[in-house]
Amino acid sequence: MRFTVFGGVSARTGDRTTEFGPTRLGALLGVLLVDAGRVVSADELVERVLGDAPPPRARAMMQTWLTRLRHSLPGLVERDGAGYRVRVDPLEIDLHLFRHLVRTGRTTEALALAGRPLLSTLDTPWARQQRAGFADELLAARLDHVDARLAQDEHSALVPELQALAAERPLDERIAAQLIEALHGSGRAAEALRHFEIVRARLAAELGAEPSRHLATLHRRLQTASAPRQLPAAPKPFTGRALELAELDREPNGVVVITGTGGVGKTSLAVHWAHRVAARFPDGQLYVNLHGFGPSGAAVSPGDALLRFLSALDVPRAQVPHDLAGQSALLRDALADKRVLMLLDNATDADQIEPLLPRTPNAHVVITSRTTLHPAHSHALPLGLLPPDDARELLAARIGHDRARAEPDAVDTVVRRCARLPLALAVAGARAATQPEFPLATLADELADLDAFADDDDVTADLRSVFSHSCKALSPAALRLFRLLGLMPGSDISLAGAASLAGLDERETGTLLAELARANLLDEPEPGRFTCHDLLRDYAAELALAGERDEALHRLLDHLALTSVEAAVAYTPSRRRPATPEPAAGVVVHRFGTHEEALAWLMAEHPALMAAMPHGTATQTWLMGWSLADALDRQARYRDLLTSQQLAVAAVEQLDDADGLGRTLINLGRSLSRMRRPDEATAALHRAFDVYEGDPAGQAGVLLNIAMLTPDDRIAEALEHTRRGLALFEECGDSYGQANALTGLAWGHAKLGEYARTVEYAERAMRMWRAMDHLIGQAEAWDNLGMGHLGLGEHAKAAEAFTRSSEMFRLGGDLAHEAGAHEQLGDTHAAAGDAEPAREAWRKAVELRTEAGLPTDLVRAKLQAEGE
């Protein structure tokens, strides 16, 4: 027989289950089962079942219930002295089985048992005390289970559960430590470190205590682990360059520029040395491939490189200035006291690298370039061909030392005919390694036409001969894919992009990419993304057949355009999907399940999309621009935002699509505004208004955008634009647009101090947002109601509104606005003379602004003014 005390009390024999429900009999059985194995006195039974104020004749009533229980379950309850106990194996009772499973480390099974409250049908002081005590047991088991899952690298899956637990128990340091570890293990190092600061501030404010030793130790460990480690994998094999390595060792701080011809091994030397000395730079290693000599449009701009570095250094996006000079200064500030190594690979000119140089005492910069660069206070390190012995060793490491020793003359011939260039030796060695049964002399004979390599002045051009030799060993399908990869507009490509380029499925394409990688014609620097040396890529492009070029490139651009639309809609579901053409045959179009997946794809493909836009059809180009608009805006990549929208406008102007042109002009106006070009932004929006002639909803949307771009000192003008937009939305029956306009009117009237109007418009907007079940819209309406009621001196109503606003912004995942609602809630309490609730709300605002990476100075000033 098995018994249940989680939820209602029940007994099960075979297939038969007896549910006792909220009866005295069930309560009595539950009390005995909880204490299975020990005697419970008659007085204890009375108190536990009937409470601490039992009715008269309670003991007689208890005897009656015991008799009935014995008849219902013969042999279960026995008299023992002055009390009673149940005769049952404790492991037949779910509560005791739970405890056994926890003790033996089987927390998954234990937690599956405890899905309902203990003795949920019994409401006496004793039962409530038992439930409270078991809640602590259950929490401990949950946290044990979390520890086990963390050990199995389930970090990302655990973050939502731990965030909810941390919100319920903000001072529990074990939960805090687990959340910090889960965030860090999910690649969210900045959030992990910010959560530690939040917990430390709470402990100090509420308990006057410092974090525990365990939490402080974890913080120190994560601080070290969070230092950026951006170096690509160390080259293997790497041989020689002893003199150059020694020279790099002699320059511990400053700027070193490694120069040399293409394929001579500049990057390999720099990366090998960087790994060798990484411990000398405990605050991290920063790396960017600037693609200075890649295809047109693939070069990384200084602004993009700065954003990558600032992100790696956990600088909050909200603190990053819009201009290049400001970003450069911020990088210097972030590195001011850090010992870091920065590797700027494949730079093209001084304009590309100057904004990236930190010029701080402990930062060391290594630059590689084919051109001679002369940054201030730099040291030049020219790199020539490999010495003969080093070249032989590199080839031997690739083909096997025994094979090299067996044919030394053939090794010398291959080395000479590869001009001692590491790239040529790597490609030729890969060919030999894939055919171990062939004599090496055969390879040397096949390279017989490469004697031009002896002319050091033209070694880069003659690399084509080595590449040609290696391509001969490829399967026809792999050779075709190699030719097509030379057409990719960006610096790298995804598996889906390569499949679309080739018009093949992803599985077959993956097999061909692996073949190219084995031939050393392709690299996979990170899972699922592929690239190759720019000299190999140029050679591949030369091989592409005239009949296949246009169709292949069209397929790739179709993949980028159509997948980017899917990502954009998943990233911002409220955006209206544009009309899209059917994909060409062989094009892979991915779809996305979550906002996070969509953003990750857009940012991974952002360089490729930017490089592809000038090469697309008018439809492809404007779709890519439309898709990038929100992500680039929210990620503060304003220069790329402006460029993409300029290209998109030029493309959509070629189409008979007034709506597409209007939408793109709105995005262009937004991007010009972000770049602080207000007159041009206004001109773009006015043009969009004209384009939407005869389309009231389109014109209304433009008017709301004009209102948003209107400076705060011209609020009345912004309100007029918003009122005109509202009238147009009402004319065409657009409820979403009306609610947006009413929200804007409520906010504008609050700025003017017209608080009664604020409340009026906010209440109208609220009704519409509720009808649409639009969470963020309701949050904004509550926020506006709070401002209105606060301005009218209605403090209780304002506090309620800001509280509701903060709750909805939290559910919507908008930390910045949630923080703003808490700050205004504090302002409301302060205006009402309630100092402690005001401080509590402001502390929460500081916590949220810290978590969101926003400045906290103004809120802290309010706390200090209140004596904190």
Side-chain angles (χ1 to χ4, degrees):
M1 184 174 289
R2 295 183 179 275
F3 298 91
T4 296
V5 292
F6 292 132
V9 177
S10 65
R12 179 165 59 86
T13 305
D15 295 334
R16 181 186 172 192
T17 300
T18 303
E19 298 280 356
F20 288 90
T23 63
R24 298 297 188 190
L25 208 61
L28 175 61
L29 177 59
V31 165
L32 290 167
L33 291 171
V34 166
D35 264 342
R38 70 174 288 268
V39 176
V40 183
S41 71
D43 289 339
E44 286 177 315
L45 287 176
V46 169
E47 179 186 353
R48 295 179 182 185
V49 175
L50 298 175
D52 50 10
R57 302 184 68 253
R59 293 194 64 160
M61 294 165 62
M62 190 62 61
Q63 287 297 331
T64 301
W65 297 330
L66 282 165
T67 300
R68 289 174 57 191
L69 186 60
R70 285 169 161 175
H71 283 304
S72 299
L73 300 169
L76 179 67
V77 180
E78 66 177 15
R79 183 73 181 261
D80 190 329
Y84 301 87
R85 67 176 173 184
V86 289
R87 297 184 59 185
V88 63
D89 181 352
L91 296 187
E92 299 294 318
I93 305 166
D94 55 1
L95 169 64
H96 299 284
L97 177 59
F98 169 89
R99 288 169 172 161
H100 170 74
L101 292 170
V102 170
R103 284 194 300 270
T104 55
R106 296 153 66 185
T107 52
T108 302
E109 298 171 64
L111 293 172
L113 287 176
R116 293 181 294 170
L118 178 65
L119 297 174
S120 61
T121 58
L122 180 59
D123 189 22
T124 62
W126 177 85
R128 290 193 291 272
Q129 183 182 27
Q130 292 297 307
R131 280 193 288 274
F134 181 73
D136 292 336
E137 288 185 58
L138 183 60
L139 176 63
R142 284 182 68 184
L143 299 186
D144 288 346
H145 188 53
V146 167
D147 283 335
R149 292 177 65 190
L150 287 171
Q152 295 168 4
D153 293 331
E154 296 183 35
H155 300 90
S156 296
L158 282 166
V159 168
E161 176 185 345
L162 287 169
Q163 286 176 326
L165 276 173
E168 294 170 11
R169 305 173 72 92
L171 298 177
D172 189 312
E173 294 189 69
R174 184 180 180 190
I175 294 172
Q178 290 179 331
L179 176 55
I180 289 168
E181 190 170 344
L183 286 167
H184 191 272
S186 304
R188 298 159 67 176
E191 291 178 67
L193 295 173
R194 280 199 296 272
H195 190 67
F196 173 83
E197 296 301 331
I198 289 166
V199 173
R200 178 160 61 184
R202 279 180 180 153
L203 291 169
E206 300 185 33
L207 302 179
E210 289 293 318
S212 66
R213 179 179 297 180
H214 171 69
L215 195 56
T217 301
L218 174 64
H219 178 242
R220 285 193 297 271
R221 177 168 62 83
L222 295 189
Q223 275 186 313
T224 301
S226 297
R229 304 280 187 258
Q230 293 189 317
L231 294 176
K236 292 182 180 179
F238 181 89
T239 61
R241 303 299 192 191
L243 294 176
E244 291 85 354
L245 289 169
E247 193 163 349
L248 285 168
D249 285 337
R250 284 194 293 271
E251 296 290 335
N253 292 303
V255 180
V256 177
V257 183
I258 303 174
T259 57
T261 190
V264 80
K266 300 180 296 295
T267 297
S268 292
L269 170 64
V271 173
H272 173 78
W273 179 81
H275 277 282
R276 197 173 78 166
V277 300
R280 290 163 51 182
F281 302 96
D283 295 316
Q285 301 90 45
L286 299 168
Y287 171 86
V288 64
N289 185 344
L290 295 168
H291 295 291
F293 298 91
S296 175
V300 175
S301 69
D304 193 29
L306 281 166
L307 288 175
R308 296 184 195 184
F309 287 164
L310 291 170
S311 176
L313 293 165
D314 293 332
V315 176
R317 179 72 66 181
Q319 296 179 13
V320 178
H322 302 330
D323 61 297
L324 188 64
Q327 292 169 357
S328 185
L330 184 59
L331 178 66
R332 288 194 296 273
D333 290 344
L335 297 179
D337 57 351
K338 295 183 183 296
R339 293 185 59 81
V340 296
L341 173 64
M342 179 184 291
L343 176 48
L344 307 178
D345 193 17
N346 205 11
T348 181
D349 55 36
D351 290 341
Q352 192 181 28
I353 63 168
E354 278 298 335
L356 307 178
L357 300 179
R359 308 293 190 193
T360 55
N362 296 317
H364 184 64
V365 183
V366 176
I367 303 167
T368 72
S369 180
R370 290 181 203 170
T371 59
T372 302
L373 303 174
H374 299 287
H377 310 294
S378 65
H379 172 73
L381 179 57
L383 193 64
L385 301 178
L386 275 172
D389 287 347
D390 291 344
R392 283 190 286 271
E393 174 58 27
L394 179 59
L395 181 63
R398 289 192 171 275
I399 66 174
H401 286 84
D402 290 344
R403 189 177 181 188
R405 280 192 292 269
E407 298 185 72
D409 293 341
V411 167
D412 288 344
T413 301
V414 172
V415 165
R416 176 172 55 82
R417 290 174 174 167
C418 285
R420 307 199 313 272
L421 280 170
L423 177 60
L425 288 165
V427 173
R431 167 77 194 279
T434 59
Q435 296 177 316
E437 72 280 4
F438 280 27
L440 196 57
T442 303
L443 170 63
D445 291 342
E446 289 177 355
L447 294 173
D449 60 342
L450 302 185
D451 285 328
F453 272 16
D455 178 6
D456 289 355
D457 293 333
D458 199 27
V459 290
T460 301
D462 288 329
L463 277 168
R464 293 183 179 86
S465 299
V466 178
F467 299 160
S468 172
H469 165 69
S470 194
C471 285
K472 290 175 183 176
L474 296 174
S475 66
L479 177 58
R480 173 178 175 268
L481 179 57
F482 178 67
R483 292 197 305 264
L484 296 179
L485 287 173
L487 305 177
M488 60 182 181
S491 60
D492 63 358
I493 195 168
S494 66
L495 172 59
S500 299
L501 189 67
L504 303 172
D505 64 48
E506 291 181 82
R507 184 170 183 176
E508 183 178 359
T509 304
T511 301
L512 298 177
L513 290 168
E515 182 180 345
L516 294 175
R518 287 193 299 273
N520 226 72
L521 298 173
L522 192 70
D523 292 319
E524 188 176 5
E526 57 184 280
R529 299 206 70 82
F530 303 88
T531 188
C532 61
H533 195 286
D534 53 277
L535 295 176
L536 278 163
R537 180 202 186 96
D538 290 344
Y539 177 71
E542 291 173 7
L543 297 181
L545 305 177
E548 66 185 2
R549 296 174 65 98
D550 292 344
E551 287 186 5
L553 186 57
H554 182 83
R555 285 193 300 268
L556 174 58
L557 296 175
D558 240 17
H559 158 74
L560 290 171
L562 299 179
T563 304
S564 70
V565 170
E566 298 298 328
V569 172
Y571 180 58
T572 312
S574 61
R575 294 182 81 186
R576 182 162 48 90
R577 177 192 291 270
T580 53
E582 285 296 314
V587 171
V588 178
V589 180
H590 279 178
R591 290 172 175 80
F592 303 88
T594 67
H595 166 100
E596 291 77 15
E597 289 174 5
L599 177 60
W601 187 91
L602 284 166
M603 298 321 296
E605 295 289 355
H606 147 241
L609 288 163
M610 293 297 299
M613 287 186 70
H615 304 285
T617 65
T619 298
Q620 290 169 335
T621 297
W622 103 259
L623 288 176
M624 286 188 271
W626 180 88
S627 301
L628 282 169
D630 267 19
L632 293 181
D633 189 21
R634 294 182 199 173
Q635 296 294 309
R637 296 177 182 267
Y638 298 137
R639 278 180 295 274
D640 281 350
L641 174 64
L642 177 57
T643 300
S644 66
Q645 299 318 301
Q646 289 170 329
L647 289 168
V649 167
V652 77
E653 284 175 330
Q654 303 172 42
L655 306 171
D656 183 19
D657 186 354
D659 180 58
L661 178 57
R663 295 164 78 177
T664 309
L665 285 167
I666 290 173
N667 288 333
L668 177 61
R670 179 171 40 153
S671 63
L672 287 163
S673 174
R674 297 289 193 246
M675 294 297 289
R676 293 183 170 83
R677 293 158 64 175
D679 293 341
E680 293 171 83
T682 301
L685 291 175
H686 281 296
R687 185 184 169 201
F689 186 85
D690 294 339
V691 165
Y692 277 126
E693 184 176 1
D695 181 349
Q699 289 192 324
V702 175
L703 288 168
L704 263 59
N705 275 276
I706 292 174
M708 284 189 287
L709 298 184
T710 302
D712 285 353
D713 59 358
R714 291 156 54 193
I715 291 293
E717 185 181 331
L719 285 172
E720 180 56 30
H721 291 308
T722 307
R723 275 191 285 270
R724 289 177 61 199
L726 175 61
L728 289 170
F729 280 131
E730 289 173 339
E731 177 185 326
C732 61
D734 187 328
S735 297
Y736 181 85
Q738 291 175 55
N740 259 326
L742 289 167
T743 300
L745 288 172
W747 179 86
H749 282 290
K751 290 295 181 182
L752 289 176
E754 298 172 354
Y755 299 115
R757 302 290 300 278
T758 297
V759 171
E760 173 194 344
Y761 284 120
E763 287 177 340
R764 287 176 60 187
M766 179 70 79
R767 289 192 290 272
M768 302 192 79
W769 289 128
R770 281 175 172 164
M772 289 181 275
D773 196 26
H774 195 289
L775 183 66
I776 294 298
Q778 293 178 67
E780 291 173 341
W782 279 117
D783 200 59
N784 286 330
L785 280 170
M787 288 192 289
H789 288 306
L790 178 58
L792 293 170
E794 298 168 346
H795 299 136
K797 289 183 178 180
E800 168 67 13
F802 287 131
T803 300
R804 297 289 295 275
S805 174
S806 67
E807 291 169 351
M808 289 189 168
F809 279 130
R810 183 180 70 252
L811 291 172
D814 193 327
L815 278 178
H817 283 94
E818 184 188 354
H822 278 285
E823 181 179 355
Q824 293 183 100
L825 177 60
D827 297 345
T828 302
H829 287 309
D834 299 328
E836 184 49 41
R839 284 193 290 269
E840 183 179 346
W842 287 330
R843 283 194 291 265
K844 182 67 175 178
V846 168
E847 173 188 318
L848 291 168
R849 290 183 73 84
T850 301
E851 188 173 351
L854 298 171
T856 61
D857 297 350
L858 294 177
V859 190
R860 291 186 187 278
K862 295 177 183 181
L863 283 166
Q864 291 170 359
E866 286 291 330
E868 181 169 313

